[in-house]
Amino acid sequence: MQSVPRELRIMSETVAPPNRTGDPMRSEPTRPEPMRSEPTRSTVPPRSIHIERATAADARAIADVLTEGFDGGGWLEALTRPFWHYALYDDARNRLGADFGDYALWLATHGSAPSQPLGTVELSVRPFGSWNRDTWFWQVGRERFPYVANLAVIPAARRRGIASRLLDRCERAAADWGYDRIYLHALANNDRAVQLYRQRGYRVQKSEAGVQQWWASSGQLLMRKLLPQTEAPADRAAAQPASGFPPA
Protein backbone atom coordinates (compact mmCIF):
# COMPACT_ATOMS: atom_id res chain seq x y z
CA MET A 1 0.00 0.00 0.00
CA GLN A 2 1.37 3.31 -1.11
CA SER A 3 1.85 5.82 1.70
CA VAL A 4 0.53 9.40 1.43
CA PRO A 5 3.24 12.01 1.28
CA ARG A 6 3.76 13.96 4.46
CA GLU A 7 3.02 17.30 2.73
CA LEU A 8 -0.46 16.14 1.61
CA ARG A 9 -1.25 14.85 5.11
CA ILE A 10 -0.42 18.26 6.61
CA MET A 11 -2.62 20.07 4.02
CA SER A 12 -5.57 17.75 4.59
CA GLU A 13 -5.32 18.15 8.37
CA THR A 14 -5.18 21.92 7.99
CA VAL A 15 -8.11 22.32 5.54
CA ALA A 16 -10.54 19.67 6.79
CA PRO A 17 -11.89 20.27 10.30
CA PRO A 18 -12.03 17.27 12.62
CA ASN A 19 -15.45 15.60 12.55
CA ARG A 20 -17.22 13.68 15.22
CA THR A 21 -19.67 11.82 12.98
CA GLY A 22 -17.40 8.89 12.21
CA ASP A 23 -17.98 9.32 8.49
CA PRO A 24 -14.71 10.07 6.72
CA MET A 25 -16.60 11.54 3.74
CA ARG A 26 -18.47 14.14 5.78
CA SER A 27 -16.92 17.08 7.54
CA GLU A 28 -18.65 18.69 10.47
CA PRO A 29 -20.12 22.06 9.47
CA THR A 30 -18.53 25.07 11.07
CA ARG A 31 -20.58 27.06 13.58
CA PRO A 32 -21.67 30.40 12.15
CA GLU A 33 -20.57 33.59 13.81
CA PRO A 34 -23.33 35.34 15.79
CA MET A 35 -24.83 38.34 14.04
CA ARG A 36 -23.82 41.67 15.51
CA SER A 37 -26.44 44.37 15.33
CA GLU A 38 -25.19 47.86 14.59
CA PRO A 39 -26.26 50.55 17.03
CA THR A 40 -29.09 52.76 15.82
CA ARG A 41 -28.40 56.44 15.17
CA SER A 42 -31.20 57.63 17.44
CA THR A 43 -30.01 56.72 20.92
CA VAL A 44 -31.82 59.37 22.93
CA PRO A 45 -34.79 58.12 25.00
CA PRO A 46 -37.78 60.48 24.59
CA ARG A 47 -38.30 60.81 28.36
CA SER A 48 -34.79 62.14 28.87
CA ILE A 49 -35.32 65.22 26.68
CA HIS A 50 -35.54 68.60 28.40
CA ILE A 51 -36.66 71.78 26.64
CA GLU A 52 -35.83 75.14 28.21
CA ARG A 53 -35.93 78.77 27.16
CA ALA A 54 -32.49 79.67 25.83
CA THR A 55 -30.31 82.46 27.15
CA ALA A 56 -27.25 84.22 25.76
CA ALA A 57 -25.09 81.57 27.44
CA ASP A 58 -26.67 78.97 25.11
CA ALA A 59 -25.61 80.73 21.90
CA ARG A 60 -22.80 78.29 21.15
CA ALA A 61 -25.02 75.24 21.75
CA ILE A 62 -27.65 76.70 19.41
CA ALA A 63 -25.00 77.26 16.74
CA ASP A 64 -23.86 73.64 17.17
CA VAL A 65 -27.39 72.33 16.58
CA LEU A 66 -28.08 74.57 13.58
CA THR A 67 -24.74 73.75 11.96
CA GLU A 68 -25.18 70.00 12.39
CA GLY A 69 -28.92 69.93 11.79
CA PHE A 70 -28.77 71.77 8.47
CA ASP A 71 -25.56 70.16 7.22
CA GLY A 72 -26.23 68.37 3.96
CA GLY A 73 -22.86 66.64 3.88
CA GLY A 74 -21.57 68.33 0.75
CA TRP A 75 -17.99 69.42 0.21
CA LEU A 76 -18.96 73.09 0.04
CA GLU A 77 -20.81 72.87 3.36
CA ALA A 78 -17.82 71.14 4.95
CA LEU A 79 -15.54 73.88 3.64
CA THR A 80 -17.69 76.73 4.96
CA ARG A 81 -18.79 75.02 8.19
CA PRO A 82 -16.51 77.04 10.54
CA PHE A 83 -17.68 80.32 8.99
CA TRP A 84 -21.38 79.46 9.29
CA HIS A 85 -20.94 78.17 12.82
CA TYR A 86 -19.44 81.43 13.96
CA ALA A 87 -22.06 83.47 12.08
CA LEU A 88 -24.87 81.49 13.71
CA TYR A 89 -23.24 81.78 17.13
CA ASP A 90 -22.82 85.54 16.81
CA ASP A 91 -26.39 85.98 15.55
CA ALA A 92 -27.89 83.90 18.39
CA ARG A 93 -25.81 85.73 20.99
CA ASN A 94 -26.96 89.14 19.71
CA ARG A 95 -30.60 88.15 19.53
CA LEU A 96 -30.67 86.59 22.98
CA GLY A 97 -28.80 89.53 24.46
CA ALA A 98 -31.25 92.13 23.13
CA ASP A 99 -34.82 92.93 24.10
CA PHE A 100 -37.05 92.34 21.08
CA GLY A 101 -40.34 92.02 22.95
CA ASP A 102 -42.18 88.91 21.81
CA TYR A 103 -39.21 86.76 20.90
CA ALA A 104 -37.97 83.40 22.17
CA LEU A 105 -35.45 80.67 21.48
CA TRP A 106 -35.77 77.18 22.94
CA LEU A 107 -33.08 74.54 23.34
CA ALA A 108 -33.66 70.80 23.74
CA THR A 109 -31.01 68.91 25.68
CA HIS A 110 -30.37 65.41 27.00
CA GLY A 111 -31.60 65.09 30.57
CA SER A 112 -28.60 63.10 31.77
CA ALA A 113 -26.19 65.33 29.85
CA PRO A 114 -27.43 68.93 29.88
CA SER A 115 -24.39 70.02 27.91
CA GLN A 116 -25.50 67.87 24.96
CA PRO A 117 -27.78 70.01 22.71
CA LEU A 118 -30.27 68.09 20.59
CA GLY A 119 -32.57 70.62 18.95
CA THR A 120 -33.61 74.25 18.81
CA VAL A 121 -36.32 76.54 17.45
CA GLU A 122 -36.88 80.29 17.18
CA LEU A 123 -40.14 82.22 17.49
CA SER A 124 -40.48 85.89 16.60
CA VAL A 125 -43.18 88.32 15.52
CA ARG A 126 -42.65 89.42 11.94
CA PRO A 127 -44.56 91.52 9.39
CA PHE A 128 -46.88 89.30 7.41
CA GLY A 129 -47.09 91.81 4.58
CA SER A 130 -43.46 91.20 3.65
CA TRP A 131 -44.46 87.79 2.25
CA ASN A 132 -47.08 89.25 -0.11
CA ARG A 133 -45.74 90.42 -3.46
CA ASP A 134 -48.89 92.46 -4.08
CA THR A 135 -48.32 94.55 -0.94
CA TRP A 136 -46.80 97.99 -1.41
CA PHE A 137 -43.74 98.83 0.67
CA TRP A 138 -45.65 101.30 2.86
CA GLN A 139 -48.14 98.56 3.78
CA VAL A 140 -45.49 96.15 4.99
CA GLY A 141 -45.63 95.63 8.74
CA ARG A 142 -49.28 96.52 9.28
CA GLU A 143 -50.11 92.89 10.11
CA ARG A 144 -47.60 90.97 12.20
CA PHE A 145 -47.88 87.43 13.43
CA PRO A 146 -45.68 84.82 15.15
CA TYR A 147 -43.25 83.11 12.83
CA VAL A 148 -41.35 79.85 13.48
CA ALA A 149 -37.78 79.71 12.17
CA ASN A 150 -34.61 77.66 12.52
CA LEU A 151 -36.31 74.48 13.69
CA ALA A 152 -33.47 71.95 13.75
CA VAL A 153 -32.68 68.61 15.38
CA ILE A 154 -29.30 66.88 15.15
CA PRO A 155 -29.35 63.63 13.10
CA ALA A 156 -28.56 61.38 16.10
CA ALA A 157 -31.68 62.57 17.96
CA ARG A 158 -34.26 62.60 15.17
CA ARG A 159 -37.51 60.62 15.15
CA ARG A 160 -37.86 61.08 18.91
CA GLY A 161 -40.58 63.74 18.83
CA ILE A 162 -38.20 66.60 19.59
CA ALA A 163 -39.32 68.74 16.64
CA SER A 164 -42.96 68.29 17.61
CA ARG A 165 -42.27 69.27 21.22
CA LEU A 166 -40.38 72.35 20.10
CA LEU A 167 -43.35 73.34 17.94
CA ASP A 168 -45.58 72.87 21.01
CA ARG A 169 -43.55 75.51 22.84
CA CYS A 170 -43.86 77.94 19.94
CA GLU A 171 -47.61 77.48 19.59
CA ARG A 172 -48.27 77.85 23.31
CA ALA A 173 -46.13 80.99 23.45
CA ALA A 174 -47.86 82.50 20.41
CA ALA A 175 -51.27 81.88 22.00
CA ASP A 176 -50.05 83.38 25.29
CA TRP A 177 -48.91 86.47 23.38
CA GLY A 178 -52.49 86.88 22.17
CA TYR A 179 -52.24 85.70 18.56
CA ASP A 180 -54.68 83.40 16.84
CA ARG A 181 -52.37 82.05 14.13
CA ILE A 182 -48.76 81.11 13.56
CA TYR A 183 -46.68 80.85 10.38
CA LEU A 184 -43.63 79.02 9.10
CA HIS A 185 -41.85 78.15 5.87
CA ALA A 186 -40.91 74.70 4.60
CA LEU A 187 -38.97 73.65 1.54
CA ALA A 188 -41.38 72.21 -1.00
CA ASN A 189 -39.21 69.13 -1.54
CA ASN A 190 -38.77 68.40 2.19
CA ASP A 191 -41.55 65.81 2.35
CA ARG A 192 -40.82 64.73 5.93
CA ALA A 193 -41.04 68.29 7.29
CA VAL A 194 -44.18 69.12 5.29
CA GLN A 195 -45.83 65.93 6.54
CA LEU A 196 -44.99 66.81 10.16
CA TYR A 197 -46.45 70.29 9.80
CA ARG A 198 -49.62 68.96 8.16
CA GLN A 199 -50.08 66.45 10.97
CA ARG A 200 -49.88 69.31 13.45
CA GLY A 201 -52.55 71.33 11.66
CA TYR A 202 -50.49 73.61 9.41
CA ARG A 203 -51.93 74.31 5.97
CA VAL A 204 -50.23 75.69 2.87
CA GLN A 205 -51.11 79.31 2.18
CA LYS A 206 -48.96 79.88 -0.87
CA SER A 207 -46.00 78.54 -2.77
CA GLU A 208 -43.08 80.94 -3.12
CA ALA A 209 -39.91 81.08 -5.16
CA GLY A 210 -36.84 82.40 -3.47
CA VAL A 211 -33.12 82.07 -3.03
CA GLN A 212 -33.69 78.48 -1.84
CA GLN A 213 -34.16 77.46 -5.47
CA TRP A 214 -30.48 78.14 -6.08
CA TRP A 215 -29.01 76.06 -3.25
CA ALA A 216 -31.83 73.60 -2.49
CA SER A 217 -33.37 73.24 -5.99
CA SER A 218 -36.76 73.84 -4.41
CA GLY A 219 -39.23 76.58 -3.73
CA GLN A 220 -40.75 77.09 -0.31
CA LEU A 221 -44.23 76.80 1.15
CA LEU A 222 -45.74 79.36 3.50
CA MET A 223 -47.83 77.39 6.02
CA ARG A 224 -50.23 78.60 8.69
CA LYS A 225 -51.91 77.11 11.75
CA LEU A 226 -54.87 78.61 13.59
CA LEU A 227 -54.45 78.77 17.38
CA PRO A 228 -56.85 79.03 20.32
CA GLN A 229 -57.32 82.75 20.86
CA THR A 230 -56.61 84.06 24.37
CA GLU A 231 -56.56 87.77 23.55
CA ALA A 232 -57.82 89.84 20.65
CA PRO A 233 -54.95 89.82 18.11
CA ALA A 234 -55.87 93.29 16.82
CA ASP A 235 -55.52 94.77 20.32
CA ARG A 236 -52.28 92.86 20.85
CA ALA A 237 -50.80 94.02 17.54
CA ALA A 238 -51.82 97.63 18.19
CA ALA A 239 -50.25 97.59 21.64
CA GLN A 240 -46.89 96.26 20.41
CA PRO A 241 -44.35 98.73 18.96
CA ALA A 242 -43.42 98.34 15.31
CA SER A 243 -39.81 97.56 16.23
CA GLY A 244 -40.76 94.67 18.52
CA PHE A 245 -39.34 91.96 16.29
CA PRO A 246 -35.79 90.99 15.33
CA PRO A 247 -34.61 91.51 11.78
CA ALA A 248 -35.36 88.68 9.37
Side-chain angles (χ1 to χ4, degrees), residues 53-67 83-100 103-107 119-123 126 149-150 246-248:
R53 186 87 171 254
T55 65
D58 299 315
R60 191 171 301 279
I62 291 171
D64 291 343
V65 173
L66 292 175
T67 305
F83 167 78
W84 286 116
H85 184 275
Y86 178 80
L88 291 167
Y89 159 73
D90 189 59
D91 180 69
R93 182 184 58 180
N94 292 334
R95 289 173 182 255
L96 289 169
D99 183 11
F100 288 120
Y103 177 78
L105 264 166
W106 285 274
L107 184 66
T120 185
V121 70
E122 175 185 6
L123 180 68
R126 298 188 182 183
N150 292 331

Side-chain angles (χ1 to χ4, degrees), residues 164-222:
S164 188
R165 290 179 59 180
L166 289 169
L167 284 173
D168 279 336
R169 295 299 181 99
C170 293
E171 293 164 9
R172 292 204 302 265
D176 291 341
W177 294 347
Y179 294 96
D180 64 346
R181 66 198 68 182
I182 189 170
Y183 290 86
L184 55 79
H185 276 103
L187 290 177
N189 64 354
N190 192 343
D191 297 333
R192 181 173 296 179
V194 173
Q195 182 181 7
L196 170 65
Y197 299 146
R198 288 185 181 276
Q199 290 175 349
R200 294 192 55 87
Y202 289 83
R203 297 295 178 261
V204 175
Q205 298 301 296
K206 61 187 301 186
S207 178
E208 300 175 339
V211 69
Q212 291 81 4
Q213 287 187 327
W214 294 98
W215 60 269
S217 301
S218 172
Q220 59 182 4
L221 304 175
L222 176 64

